[in-house]
Amino acid sequence: MCVRVSLSQCSPGAMFSRRWRFGWDSYSEVDLFTTRYDTSTETLSQAIQAAASEGPDADGSVLFGHLRGTVVGLKYYTGVVNQGEMVGLVRQPQNPYDRNAVMVANIYGNQVGHIKRELAAAMAHVMDNNLAKVEGVVHSRTTNSFTMPVMLSFWGKEENKSAVTEFMARRGYKLNTGFKVVITFFHIYSSFVQLKNAFDNLFEGLMESKDGEKEAAEAVGTPLLPHQKQALSWMCARENKSSLPPFWEKRGELYYNSLTCFSAKEVPERVCGGILADDMGLGKTLTTIALILTNFHKGRPLPVEKCVRFSVGECYISSVHATTPACVHPCLLSTCRRRSLLKSKPKLNHRWPPNLKVTLVTKSLSKTEKDDILCVCVCVLCEGVESAMAETADDLSARATLIISPLSVLSNWLDQFEQHVRPDVKLNVYLYYGSDRNRSKKFLSTQDVVITTYNVLSADFGVSVDSPLHGISWLRVVLDEGHIIRNPNAQMSKAVLDLKAQRRWILSGTPIQNSIKDMWMLLAFLRLKPFDVREWWNRVIQRPVTQGDRTGLQNLQTLVKCITLRRTKSSEVNGRPLVSLPEKTVCVEQVELSRSEREEYELARTEGRNTIRRYVAEGTILRNYADVLAILMRLRQHCCHPDLLSKTSSDLGASATPAELRERLIEKLRSVLASGSDEECSVCLDSVRLPVITHCAHVYCRPCITEVISTEQETAKCPLCRNEIKTSELVEFPQELMEEESSTNSENWRTSSKVQSLMGNLLRLRCDDGSIKSLVVSQFTRFLTILETPLREHGFRFVRLDGTMNQKRRTRVIEEFQSSAADSPTVMLLSLKAGGVGLNLTAASHVFLMDPAWNPATEEQCIDRCHRLGQMRKVVVTKFIVKDSVEEKMVAIQRKKQDLVEKAFGSTNSDRKTSRIDDIKALMEL
DNA sequence: ACCGCCGGGTGCC
DNA sequence: ACCGCCGGGTGCC
């Protein structure tokens, strides 16, 4: 090697004034790069990926400005760029010629060139210190083939803006600023609210031109409904057709991506699979089972062993002809041996050879012979597996489908396979779960289906280098409830992304739960190029959408449309509803309080109203929100049963010690949550998960409020009352108390008007038709406990399902309830929040909603557990509402709230705040 | 690269 | 001639 340096190497600061130079006489850059970089396993795309995920999130970033830069060294690299194409900028601190080097790469991670030295030096400082994220777009090409201009944009946190701008200016690079973009919490928040609504529409109307139907393979025992045949047809097409992924088009010889302006000679890798986002109850599981059996390689059905029982006395195996007599199914062999039919001695093999033929001869048989011949003969449904082998590049030896599901629905998968696969078909389904699971890769990869849970998968992934599931080339990976993997940093998500598969599917009723970020994980799993790389996703979709860009949203919509099939129960196909469910009637039964109940209620109401009046007058209603909720809660509890009221909680007023404050906050939290009410988190607008209470007594999801705090840092304020909040001051409900809550005293039990109304209904029903089953639903688990006494007294057989039960018990309870046995329970006491999605309670045809919920959707969800596919009877829903009470007003607000959600486009946080105050006023008749 | 830069050849017009 | 000018060789970081 001959390196000639005209000037001695110097400090980075002096580098600009002096020049240095290398000779290339006997040394090519290829050698240099292979020795330098090939020792590292990191690929360029991984480097880009890593760079993008380390940097600040696109959400909170502001644009510092633009700068026109130069990409040099084009002729040394193969990466090509088109006009308007986005490029990635990656720091190369290990570059032997310049540790400030900034590499330029195209969407596919192919190197295009480098940023010119001086500019790179300035950028390196900014990039290395995480002051800004720099993005590049190549707007125009110059005619020469050595350099090209690149438009650089600098993005980062507001507080770094001036530092970056000044630094660049000192180096002689002026950042051109367009209009000033200021993003505050409320900014993000209101655009988030808008998005949430836009998302609701995102998955709507995805039915167009997906209306072909496909019959399932013979092995599927359950006839598919028309919409399921459509889904099957669509899924098969997504797996088999080689249509271009969204935004790709053929332009002459090249394939062109209209979003990133990238083009390539090769066909872009197609996405085999997609998102099946049908509403729950439309049969995603059955459709998936049908897909597994129907669409093996080359669109042929999965070759499965099918046991054929010949009708007695008619058929008789006379001889076995096999082109390869080496293998005979052991089951058949036993018969052959007995009858001495085999000429040669075959080896045993469980897999039936494709061209083995069995000749059957009819013969009259004696009784014993008939019994003998009732042996099982095994046939093959699909022939020609081997011949298909050589034809395509795909690995046709991949056989198994891996299904990953939450633990709670694991048993459902097994049941559904049992139920929908014809009993005479032998499908190898292996449950990869439990400590004694078979970890043999050979064993697993020869199964037809392997089912496991997200937890098992990620546990395996974390523990050992050669996780069995990660070592297998799957034919197909299916993520059930795929929205579970929405956090890309979670171990679970990484484990899922690392799976090797030809085809990938996501099943989910709610593909986007919180934000557009959720979507990235799904696309990354599906390997939808180029969006599986975070930078391109951020730049092309996420940032434009979060900043309210219409085209960004349109692009996202197009993207989603291409890979998603979503139908709701109300969707129509050719003017007819997708599924015809039995009629559902909802009636409200007014309950009159007894005199003593009314007296107690009015007492509590007057007291509460005075308190709230005071808050309204002081303008402190939101500051005392928890207290207000507690008052409302007490009233709601009065409506159900007097014993629901917890011991009067002390007033928050003056809190002497921190321990005392904590005690009182927990008490507040208890009154909000413990009884099972459905409180809404004001950040995500959903029911609270992992509830925490702030020192200003507002309840949020822990992740939501933590994010708010980390975004706003020291200046973090409570989104509801703008008091200062700190992560360290968030209080959780202690687990020990959780358990205490459930204990109740069953001696001196008393009834209530609502209990009477329910019992009257149940007794009447039992009289009319003893086989009718009912769900009795309440938000208050303690109310369910109270209801147990009269049910027992009247000799009802009942079960109970609430959030405290573990999975095993839940499954058993549901099984018991769903059973049609004569002595099976006819009533299920159900806590409104228990189970959430996926429960199948079709045995019930009557639903009694004991108390109104804040969120009408929760009620609907609950009703849907029995008003769904498989329901044979008309469904009757009875809502008990106490006359002249807070419950009546809640119903009115429910309706208003639903309107609000529907029209909420543009509703801001402050709108919501005032609407909350209005709600409270209305509830208390102020 | 239809540039910039380097360094050797050259030297009135 | 310790300059200027010309024209060939050359070229990312």
Side-chain angles (χ1 to χ4, degrees), chain A residues 778-842:
Chain A
S778 173
Q779 300 172 75
F780 310 108
T781 46
R782 288 202 347 258
F783 194 27
L784 296 180
T785 311
I786 289 169
L787 289 170
E788 287 178 13
T789 310
L791 284 175
R792 227 173 263 127
E793 224 163 68
H794 287 97
F796 280 96
R797 287 189 56 88
F798 65 91
V799 287
R800 174 179 172 140
L801 187 70
D802 63 47
T804 64
M805 298 165 84
N806 67 24
Q807 203 48 50
K808 227 178 195 163
R809 270 183 70 200
R810 279 182 199 220
T811 324
R812 216 189 48 223
V813 160
I814 292 167
E815 244 166 51
E816 228 178 297
F817 184 69
Q818 286 288 90
S819 153
S820 52
D823 60 344
S824 63
T826 54
V827 173
M828 175 182 275
L829 293 171
L830 181 66
S831 104
L832 187 71
K833 283 199 293 181
V837 282
L839 284 192
N840 189 353
L841 301 173
T842 45

Side-chain angles (χ1 to χ4, degrees), chain A residues 42 46-57 130 133 534:
Chain A
E42 199 185 50
Q46 280 169 332
I48 298 174
Q49 178 99 41
S53 56
E54 277 164 19
D57 206 327
N130 237 332
K133 164 109 189 58
R534 193 60 175 266

Side-chain angles (χ1 to χ4, degrees), chain A residues 14 23 80 188 212 236 363 416 433 435 509 584 598 624 810 832 857:
Chain A
V80 287
I188 297 171
C236 289
K363 185 191 163 187
Q416 301 267 308
Y433 187 78
S435 50
K584 175 181 88 178
R598 176 55 71 184
N624 292 292
R810 279 182 199 220
L832 187 71

Side-chain angles (χ1 to χ4, degrees), chain A residues 18-88:
Chain A
R18 300 187 207 168
R19 305 236 149 241
W20 53 347
R21 195 173 170 214
F22 297 92
W24 293 87
D25 323 62
S26 61
Y27 194 72
S28 87
E29 80 287 359
V30 177
D31 297 323
L32 199 79
F33 274 72
T34 42
T35 49
R36 275 283 174 171
Y37 293 113
D38 276 13
T39 46
S40 149
T41 51
E42 199 185 50
T43 66
L44 205 48
S45 341
Q46 280 169 332
I48 298 174
Q49 178 99 41
S53 56
E54 277 164 19
D57 206 327
D59 284 2
S61 290
V62 294
L63 178 63
F64 295 169
H66 302 288
L67 179 66
R68 200 182 142 95
T70 313
V71 186
V72 294
L74 301 187
K75 73 164 172 176
Y76 299 97
Y77 307 101
T78 50
V80 287
V81 187
N82 300 288
Q83 210 164 85
E85 185 175 329
M86 297 183 168
V87 289

Side-chain angles (χ1 to χ4, degrees), chain A residues 446-513:
Chain A
T446 50
Q447 297 297 305
D448 294 314
V449 177
V450 175
I451 305 179
T452 192
T453 69
Y454 287 98
N455 288 323
V456 169
L457 180 81
S458 75
D460 268 16
F461 183 66
V463 166
S464 73
V465 202
D466 55 359
S467 151
L469 299 181
H470 290 88
I472 293 169
S473 293
W474 300 98
L475 172 66
R476 192 187 281 113
V477 172
V478 177
L479 304 188
D480 190 19
E481 303 296 338
H483 52 266
I484 283 183
I485 55 148
R486 64 171 177 275
N487 175 9
N489 299 320
Q491 189 68 11
M492 220 187 249
S493 310
K494 287 176 183 161
V496 164
L497 287 182
D498 230 53
L499 291 165
K500 289 195 282 276
Q502 292 179 15
R503 314 170 186 178
R504 288 157 220 271
W505 285 101
I506 291 163
L507 311 182
S508 174
T510 45
I512 289 187
Q513 285 219 318

Side-chain angles (χ1 to χ4, degrees), chain A residues 163-210:
Chain A
V164 170
T165 314
E166 280 162 30
F167 176 82
M168 293 304 290
R170 264 205 304 280
R171 301 265 173 141
Y173 299 104
K174 194 173 176 327
L175 288 182
N176 295 311
T177 47
F179 54 96
K180 199 179 168 195
V181 185
V182 183
I183 295 180
T184 62
F185 173 76
F186 288 103
H187 223 99
I188 297 171
Y189 192 93
S190 65
S191 65
F192 169 71
V193 170
Q194 284 186 21
L195 278 174
K196 196 176 168 70
N197 289 287
F199 284 143
D200 293 343
N201 305 326
L202 188 60
F203 285 91
E204 295 311 318
L206 295 180
M207 263 308 292
E208 56 189 66
S209 74
K210 288 171 183 168

Side-chain angles (χ1 to χ4, degrees), chain A residues 596-894:
Chain A
S596 64
E597 282 169 339
R598 176 55 71 184
E599 278 169 10
E600 277 184 70
Y601 179 87
E602 289 303 326
L603 208 69
R605 179 168 155 261
T606 316
E607 193 191 301
R609 194 154 76 168
N610 289 339
T611 314
I612 293 175
R613 253 193 200 133
R614 201 178 69 232
Y615 291 147
V616 172
E618 292 167 357
T620 55
I621 196 159
L622 290 167
R623 219 167 283 251
N624 292 292
Y625 199 61
D627 207 29
V628 172
L629 279 175
I631 291 167
L632 292 174
M633 175 67 71
R634 282 200 285 281
L635 293 180
R636 289 160 65 197
Q637 288 170 332
H638 266 297
C639 291
C640 291
H641 197 279
D643 291 348
L644 278 179
L645 291 148
S646 45
K647 301 136 263 169
T648 41
S649 57
S650 48
D651 204 74
L652 202 62
S655 326
T657 65
E660 233 174 82
L661 176 67
R662 190 184 139 78
E663 189 59 39
R664 283 171 187 174
L665 286 171
I666 288 172
E667 188 56 38
K668 289 287 163 196
L669 196 55
R670 181 212 303 278
S671 70
V672 176
L673 303 163
S675 45
S677 91
D678 186 55
E679 180 48 25
E680 186 181 82
C681 163
S682 316
V683 178
C684 65
L685 312 181
D686 244 318
S687 335
V688 279
R689 288 177 300 120
L690 305 170
V692 287
I693 190 163
T694 59
H695 273 198
C696 50
H698 295 108
V699 179
Y700 301 99
C701 310
R702 179 176 274 283
C704 292
I705 197 68
T706 315
E707 203 178 327
V708 170
I709 295 174
S710 67
T711 316
E712 303 188 2
Q713 301 282 330
E714 293 80 25
T715 62
K717 292 204 172 60
C718 172
L720 280 168
C721 67
R722 307 307 287 167
N723 275 326
E724 273 188 25
I725 47 171
K726 291 196 184 85
T727 312
S728 58
E729 286 176 353
L730 299 176
V731 177
E732 257 162 13
F733 198 74
Q735 199 55 48
E736 322 85 73
L737 288 179
M738 218 59 134
E739 270 133 48
E740 238 172 70
E741 286 297 298
S742 50
S743 63
T744 31
N745 48 340
S746 58
E747 72 270 13
N748 48 32
W749 184 89
R750 51 178 172 163
T751 188
S752 77
S753 301
K754 224 180 223 181
V755 174
Q756 292 298 91
S757 300
L758 171 73
M759 291 314 294
N761 272 283
L762 286 177
L763 289 167
R764 212 174 312 122
L765 265 181
R766 184 164 69 178
C767 229
D768 291 351
D769 181 350
S771 69
I772 288 180
K773 297 194 180 198
S774 311
L775 300 178
V776 175
V777 186
S778 173
Q779 300 172 75
F780 310 108
T781 46
R782 288 202 347 258
F783 194 27
L784 296 180
T785 311
I786 289 169
L787 289 170
E788 287 178 13
T789 310
L791 284 175
R792 227 173 263 127
E793 224 163 68
H794 287 97
F796 280 96
R797 287 189 56 88
F798 65 91
V799 287
R800 174 179 172 140
L801 187 70
D802 63 47
T804 64
M805 298 165 84
N806 67 24
Q807 203 48 50
K808 227 178 195 163
R809 270 183 70 200
R810 279 182 199 220
T811 324
R812 216 189 48 223
V813 160
I814 292 167
E815 244 166 51
E816 228 178 297
F817 184 69
Q818 286 288 90
S819 153
S820 52
D823 60 344
S824 63
T826 54
V827 173
M828 175 182 275
L829 293 171
L830 181 66
S831 104
L832 187 71
K833 283 199 293 181
V837 282
L839 284 192
N840 189 353
L841 301 173
T842 45
S845 58
H846 281 244
V847 182
F848 295 99
L849 296 174
M850 300 309 295
D851 33 80
W854 282 111
N855 186 351
T858 334
E859 290 182 357
E860 278 309 310
Q861 225 174 54
C862 196
I863 296 167
D864 284 349
R865 280 170 208 170
C866 79
H867 192 239
R868 60 185 282 165
L869 239 62
Q871 178 57 262
M872 307 310 283
R873 304 174 191 245
K874 287 182 178 176
V875 171
V876 181
V877 181
T878 310
K879 295 183 179 183
F880 292 109
I881 302 292
V882 171
K883 212 177 156 210
D884 296 323
S885 79
V886 68
E887 289 190 344
E888 275 188 342
K889 310 211 169 49
M890 281 178 71
V891 173
I893 286 169
Q894 267 189 4

